[in-house]
């Protein structure tokens, strides 16, 4: 079973890596205006899907596995975007020191702020992480010393960046592979951690933290580790994002809306499962871009206002889908699949045990 | 000294608005364990209902009357939105606390998206009487009249909320429910009705807060996302004050309002520190949590 799933995963990654070579014309399904699979627009959207899938995976470690509703992931995503952008663009650092500085900043922020936020639990933790993320957003908007560019944003421009990584249209294919690579690495890291002994402690924290304390385990360290891991993954996503998109704008990379999108992705796909988070993120980003494309169609403008206004707002549609999912499909897509698998297994078990149990009853 | 007194006054007025926004949130959390993300939406909807009502009535009625009607409309709008939310989307999820938080997040996104689609992201202007924009002179100080309105509204709501919670049967049920919900329902009291009631009360205060915030602090302008930014400060006030405590919310709202106001004036004029007021409030939150994780008036967490 596990080997089969591994093979499917590997097949999907290979397929993903080959997509830039597929020049297929696919009308209706693609999210960009050019209906060709390896067009720049489609590759960019797919790369965005992969980036957010990786970030959602990292977030699933703290939310799905550990059961802590953090509203802070955007802060670490924005750290990846801005520290990388600032060190390259303003300070003209070479690539490797810039990367190291980005992840070091994220690590320090995550350990310090995580330790403060984890002093409280439950709802208060959620509120505190939200407040920190919002403070970070204000800081970026403030444009301290002209570093972040404030509302106008900061374009990534550096002669030190290797040529194949620069934002030129001809390089979209390379950036797409970087995004896919980021997703594969985050999947591997999250897989290793969640299947390890530490991962089991995280699930135990979610299920019954008090019991764990009685057993002599200090949950705080594990919670902080989970928080830090998911933060570092989000930072990686931020780096891939700024390479791909080329401009950092606070409303797109640092506002609370980004956190909520990541949360929605994980919940839609199924919290606490790896492929659920990945599926949720890919479907979410794809749908968001696709809905924008539909709303921009000329024929769309002829719809009556009561249809056109709601349908032109991806935020409305995705929010509404999310509410329906939470009420009617708890556990997300993964929950549906797992429940079906359990039912099939139960039926098989019943069928298998039907004959022996009959004989037992007939014996006396 | 005069500057300091004037600052203190406007900080208190800001605190009054924060109190209106936060107390309902605190009450809902205390009784139902729900972190209500849709509270920001109730604030926004209150302001939009007020704008809609006021702009459909004849201007000949005069600005003061229209403003009073707008105030009432914001209260009713917020209360109605909150009541419907509780009955339609919160109720099916009793027993699933994370699910309840998530639906309020989804609802907030969806309806704010709808408002953005319907009204655009540009701000709309609420009609207010001229008197509200002017300032009164009290003992050598020039104080904006809108601040007085916010302050009076905050005090009226605080006093009536305390009276309601301590003197009426429903209020006592709510307080008992905050203390121990299982015990209250074991005594045969319908806690479900109390849930709807706290949502309606919280929504009413949120709606009023939404309109007052627009009138007092953003030049009579309302926008679809204003409630969401106000909500963050309401969260901070609730955590500092202690979850579930009305008095805690009142004290914390005043502290947060004052800190933000002082920091903005004394530090915000330096280059690159325009957001220092907002940042200082978050710093205050971190300090309070270090010193007293359950908040100023919180009993347990």
């Amino acid at each position: 079973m596990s080997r089969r799933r591994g093979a499917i995963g590997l097949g999907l990654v290979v397929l993903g890596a080959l997509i830039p070579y597929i020049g297929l014309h696919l009308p209706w399904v693609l999210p960009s205006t050019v209906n060709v699979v390896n067009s720049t627009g489609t590759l960019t959207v797919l790369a965005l899907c992969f980036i957010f899938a990786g970030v959602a995976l990292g977030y699933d470690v703290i939310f799905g596995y550990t059961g802590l509703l953090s509203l802070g992931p955007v802060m670490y995503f924005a750290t990846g975007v801005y520290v990388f952008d600032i060190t390259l663009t303003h300070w003209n650092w070479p690539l490797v020191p810039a990367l190291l500085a980005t992840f070091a900043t994220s690590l320090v922020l995550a350990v310090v702020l995580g330790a403060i936020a984890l002093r409280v639990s439950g709802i208060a933790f959620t509120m505190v992480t939200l407040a920190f993320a919002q403070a970070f957003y204000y800081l970026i908007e403030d444009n301290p010393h002209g570093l972040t560019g404030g509302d106008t944003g900061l374009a990534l421009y550096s002669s030190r960046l290797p040529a194949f990584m620069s934002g030129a249209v001809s390089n979209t294919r390379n950036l797409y592979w970087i995004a896919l690579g980021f997703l594969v690495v985050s999947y591997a890291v999250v897989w290793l951690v969640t299947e390890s002994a530490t991962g089991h402690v995280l699930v135990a924290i979610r299920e019954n933290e008090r019991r764990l304390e009685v057993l002599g385990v200090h949950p705080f360290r594990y919670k902080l580790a989970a928080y830090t891991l998911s933060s570092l993954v989000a930072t990686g996503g931020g780096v891939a994002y700024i390479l791909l998109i080329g401009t950092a704008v606070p409303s797109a990379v640092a506002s609370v809306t980004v956190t909520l999108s990541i949360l929605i992705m994980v919940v839609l796909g199924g919290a606490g499962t790896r492929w659920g988070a990945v599926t949720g993120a890919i479907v979410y980003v794809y749908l968001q871009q696709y809905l924008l494309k539909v709303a921009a169609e000329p024929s769309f403008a002829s719809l009556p206002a009561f249809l056109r206004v709601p349908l032109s707002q991806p935020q409305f549609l995705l929010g509404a889908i999310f509410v329906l999912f939470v009420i009617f499909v708890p556990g997300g897509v993964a929950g549906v699949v797992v429940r079906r698998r359990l039912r099939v297994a139960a039926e098989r078990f019943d069928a298998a045990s039907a004959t022996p149990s009959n004989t037992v009853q007939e014996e006396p | 000294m005069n500057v300091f007194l004037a600052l203190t006054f406007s900080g208190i007025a800001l605190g009054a608005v924060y109190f209106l926004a936060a107390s309902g949130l605190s009450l809902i959390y205390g009784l139902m364990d729900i972190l209500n993300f849709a509270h920001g939406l109730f604030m926004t909807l209150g302001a939009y209902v007020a704008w809609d009502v006021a702009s459909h009535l004849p201007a000949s009625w005069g600005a003061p009357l229209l403003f009073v009607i707008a105030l009432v409309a914001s209260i009713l709008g917020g209360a109605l939105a909150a009541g419907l939310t509780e009955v339609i989307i919160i109720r099916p999820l009793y027993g699933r606390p994370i699910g309840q938080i998530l639906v309020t997040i989804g609802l907030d996104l969806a309806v704010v998206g709808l408002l953005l689609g319907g009204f655009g992201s540009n701000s709309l202007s609420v009609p207010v009487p001229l008197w509200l924009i002017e300032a009164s002179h009290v003992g050598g100080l020039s104080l904006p009249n809108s601040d007085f309105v916010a302050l009076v509204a905050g005090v009226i709501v605080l006093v009536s909320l305390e009276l309601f919670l301590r003197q009426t049967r429903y209020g006592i049920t709510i307080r008992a429910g905050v203390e121990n919900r299982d015990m209250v329902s074991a005594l045969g009291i319908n806690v479900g009705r109390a849930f709807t009631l706290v949502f309606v009360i919280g929504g009413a205060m949120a709606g009023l807060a939404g309109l007052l915030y627009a009138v007092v602090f953003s030049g009579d302008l309302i926008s679809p996302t204003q409630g969401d930014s106000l909500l963050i400060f309401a969260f901070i006030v609730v955590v500092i004050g202690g979850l579930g405590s009305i008095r805690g919310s009142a004290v914390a709202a005043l502290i947060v309002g004052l800190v933000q106001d002082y920091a903005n004036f004394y530090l915000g004029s330096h280059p690159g520190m325009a957001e220092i007021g907002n940042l200082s409030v978050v710093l205050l939150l971190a300090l309070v949590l270090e010193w007293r994780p359950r908040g100023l008036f919180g009993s347990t967490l």
Side-chain angles (χ1 to χ4, degrees):
Chain A
M1 187 69 190
S2 170
R3 182 172 290 179
R4 204 184 81 192
R5 286 173 72 177
I8 294 175
L10 193 66
L12 285 176
V13 171
V14 171
L15 180 69
L18 291 177
I19 280 182
Y21 297 111
I22 303 175
L24 205 60
H25 181 85
L26 272 183
W28 303 111
V29 284
L30 295 177
S32 72
T33 41
V34 182
N35 291 315
V36 180
V37 172
N38 64 354
S39 67
T40 313
T42 307
L43 285 184
T44 306
V45 173
L46 288 177
L48 260 188
C49 287
F50 297 156
I51 291 169
F52 279 103
V55 175
L57 262 171
Y59 182 63
D60 202 19
V61 174
I62 185 88
F63 174 63
Y65 284 89
T66 319
L68 293 172
L69 180 53
S70 161
L71 291 179
V74 69
M75 182 164 48
Y76 303 99
F77 183 76
T79 303
V81 170
Y82 275 100
V83 177
F84 190 63
D85 196 350
I86 289 168
T87 48
L88 284 171
T89 306
H90 283 312
W91 300 340
N92 206 23
W93 287 17
L95 178 66
V96 174
L99 271 178
L100 288 177
T102 306
F103 282 98
T105 311
S106 171
L107 182 68
V108 172
L109 271 180
V111 171
V112 172
L113 297 182
I116 296 176
L118 284 168
R119 284 181 61 80
V120 287
S121 56
I123 304 288
F125 171 76
T126 304
M127 293 190 189
V128 173
T129 53
L130 177 67
F132 284 154
Q134 197 63 17
F136 202 68
Y137 173 71
Y138 291 133
L139 197 65
I140 291 172
E141 282 234 302
D142 233 6
N143 193 14
H145 306 287
L147 281 178
T148 63
D151 267 334
T152 38
L154 178 64
L156 177 67
Y157 178 78
S158 167
S159 53
R160 304 291 280 273
L161 207 60
F164 77 95
M165 275 188 185
S166 81
V169 170
S170 56
N171 284 333
T172 305
R173 179 182 285 197
N174 300 333
L175 301 174
Y176 168 89
W177 282 320
I178 290 176
L180 181 63
F182 162 68
L183 173 57
V184 171
V185 170
S186 5
Y187 194 97
V189 170
V190 170
W191 180 68
L192 283 174
V193 170
T194 51
E195 295 295 319
S196 70
T198 308
H200 294 301
V201 175
L202 297 182
V203 173
I205 290 173
R206 181 186 73 196
E207 295 303 329
N208 193 339
E209 192 175 339
R210 181 64 54 82
R211 186 159 173 208
L212 212 58
E213 283 171 14
V214 172
L215 290 171
V217 181
H218 291 294
F220 178 82
R221 259 180 259 162
Y222 288 92
K223 288 196 276 189
L224 188 58
Y227 182 87
T228 309
L229 173 73
S230 75
S231 304
L232 288 175
V233 173
T235 301
V239 170
Y241 176 94
I242 185 69
L243 282 171
L244 177 74
I245 303 296
T247 311
V249 184
S251 61
V253 302
S255 78
V256 65
T257 325
V258 182
T259 299
L260 298 185
S261 317
I262 297 167
L263 176 64
I264 291 177
M265 292 168 195
V266 172
V267 173
L268 287 185
T273 61
R274 288 181 298 270
W275 66 268
V278 173
T279 313
I282 292 179
V283 168
Y284 182 97
V285 177
Y286 201 92
L287 215 56
Q288 190 183 34
Q289 300 292 327
Y290 190 78
L291 292 171
L292 282 172
K293 174 196 173 179
V294 172
E297 292 279 326
S299 57
F300 194 80
S302 58
L303 285 175
F306 74 93
L307 280 178
R308 193 187 64 239
V309 169
L311 291 180
S312 65
Q313 289 291 329
Q315 190 182 338
F316 166 73
L317 290 171
L318 290 165
I321 291 172
F322 180 63
V323 169
L324 294 176
F325 251 72
V326 172
I327 297 179
F328 296 110
V329 197
V333 178
V336 174
V337 175
V338 168
R339 273 198 297 276
R340 211 180 120 242
R341 203 180 284 156
L342 282 176
R343 206 169 52 232
V344 170
E347 278 164 12
R348 231 179 253 160
F349 181 79
D350 286 348
S353 57
T355 346
S357 70
N358 282 345
T359 49
V360 169
Q361 276 173 357
E362 278 165 9
E363 251 177 25
Chain B
M1 193 59 198
N2 274 355
V3 172
F4 180 77
L5 286 177
L7 273 179
T8 307
F9 184 71
S10 64
I12 292 173
L14 181 59
V17 175
Y18 284 160
F19 168 71
L20 291 175
S23 51
L25 208 56
S26 184
L27 211 53
I28 289 172
Y29 176 80
L31 187 67
M32 305 168 71
D33 294 334
I34 296 177
L35 176 59
N36 179 28
F37 259 87
H39 218 70
L41 176 66
F42 302 156
M43 300 181 214
T44 309
L45 281 176
Y48 270 84
V49 168
W51 172 83
D52 199 52
V53 168
S55 54
H56 278 90
L57 292 174
S60 59
W61 287 17
L65 179 61
L66 285 181
F67 183 65
V68 172
I69 293 175
L71 281 177
V72 175
S74 73
I75 294 172
L76 294 179
L80 184 67
L84 288 177
T85 301
E86 201 279 329
V87 172
I88 296 172
I89 74 160
I90 305 280
R91 195 164 284 185
L93 294 172
Y94 283 162
R96 285 174 52 198
I98 295 269
Q100 286 176 326
I101 298 173
L102 297 178
V103 286
T104 60
I105 290 177
L107 182 75
D108 184 58
L109 281 176
V111 181
V112 169
L114 212 53
L115 287 173
L116 283 168
F119 296 96
S121 54
N122 290 337
S123 302
L124 300 171
S125 181
V126 184
V128 295
L130 206 58
W131 169 81
L132 207 63
I133 307 166
E134 292 164 352
S136 301
H137 296 275
V138 183
L141 294 175
S142 168
L143 305 173
N145 288 332
S146 55
D147 284 6
F148 281 106
V149 173
L151 191 58
V152 169
V155 170
I156 290 176
V157 168
L158 174 61
V159 170
S160 39
L161 200 58
E162 283 284 336
L163 281 178
F164 168 77
L165 287 174
R166 296 188 186 276
Q167 304 295 331
T168 68
R169 194 181 158 74
Y170 278 115
I172 292 168
T173 306
I174 290 173
R175 271 174 54 221
V178 171
E179 209 64 43
N180 188 338
R181 191 172 61 201
D182 296 335
M183 182 59 82
V184 172
S185 43
L187 291 172
I189 295 168
N190 186 348
V191 186
R193 204 176 291 155
F195 288 171
T196 314
L197 191 63
V198 285
F199 253 82
V200 169
I201 294 172
M205 292 187 288
L208 181 62
L211 180 61
L212 285 179
Y213 186 78
V215 170
V216 180
F217 299 101
S218 62
D220 309 327
L221 296 175
I222 59 173
S223 72
T225 49
Q226 70 165 40
D228 291 337
S229 37
L230 190 51
L231 179 68
I232 308 230
F233 292 104
F235 279 159
I236 294 175
V237 166
V238 169
V239 176
I240 292 181
L243 291 155
S245 162
I246 296 296
R247 287 175 189 182
S249 291
V251 173
L254 280 184
I255 296 174
V256 168
L258 286 170
V259 165
Q260 198 172 10
D261 219 32
Y262 292 143
N264 262 334
F265 183 83
Y266 289 113
L267 304 171
S269 50
H270 299 284
M273 292 180 86
E275 299 283 352
I276 190 70
N278 295 332
L279 287 173
S280 59
V281 169
V282 177
L283 192 66
L284 178 72
L285 171 73
L287 289 176
V288 170
L289 285 179
E290 272 304 301
W291 165 62
R292 203 179 157 88
R294 60 188 180 180
L296 298 177
F297 286 68
S299 45
T300 51
L301 233 168

